């Protein structure tokens, strides 16, 4: 729970640098990591609905929805070309 709280106030890139983690679980119910979400973005996911249908994100308890959207948003910020490929 502490890790998720830290994540909410610090963007993912900073969190990875601070903790040394190579990946982070975003959806515990379905064991989905930030890497899974980033991969889905490269495969065309552009919304939470896309993540839900492709990976099952937020299909159980829903508590991961905000963090999943943030990871997706950050993926497009880091690589804006992905956004234009999807759009």
């Amino acid at each position: 729970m502490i890790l998720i709280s830290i994540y909410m106030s610090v963007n993912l890139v900073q969190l990875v640098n601070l903790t040394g983690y190579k990946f982070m679980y975003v959806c515990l119910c379905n064991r989905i990591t930030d890497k899974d979400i980033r991969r889905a973005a490269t495969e065309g996911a552009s919304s939470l609905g896309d993540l839900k249908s492709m990976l099952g994100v937020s299909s159980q308890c829903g508590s991961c929805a905000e963090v999943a959207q943030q990871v997706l948003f950050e993926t497009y910020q880091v690589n804006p070309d992905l956004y234009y490929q999807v759009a």
Side-chain angles (χ1 to χ4, degrees):
M1 201 54 96
I2 293 171
L3 184 59
I4 292 172
S5 297
I6 291 170
Y7 177 79
M8 298 300 275
S9 61
V10 179
N11 75 34
L12 184 62
V13 174
Q14 290 172 332
L15 178 64
V16 169
N17 290 338
L18 290 173
T19 62
Y21 287 115
K22 302 281 188 215
F23 66 90
M24 181 182 77
Y25 281 99
V26 174
C27 178
L28 297 177
C29 296
N30 295 310
R31 297 170 39 193
I32 298 167
T33 67
D34 62 305
K35 284 187 175 185
D36 296 326
I37 293 171
R38 293 179 197 289
R39 188 176 320 109
T42 65
E43 295 171 0
S46 61
S47 68
L48 183 61
D50 291 340
L51 292 177
K52 188 173 185 176
S53 66
M54 293 171 79
L55 301 173
V57 169
S58 189
S59 62
Q60 298 291 320
C61 75
S63 65
C64 61
E66 186 176 337
V67 175
Q69 285 179 315
Q70 186 174 354
V71 171
L72 186 62
F73 178 73
E74 288 176 6
T75 302
Y76 286 121
Q77 279 188 319
V78 170
N79 190 354
D81 291 337
L82 277 178
Y83 176 78
Y84 294 110
Q85 290 172 6
V86 172

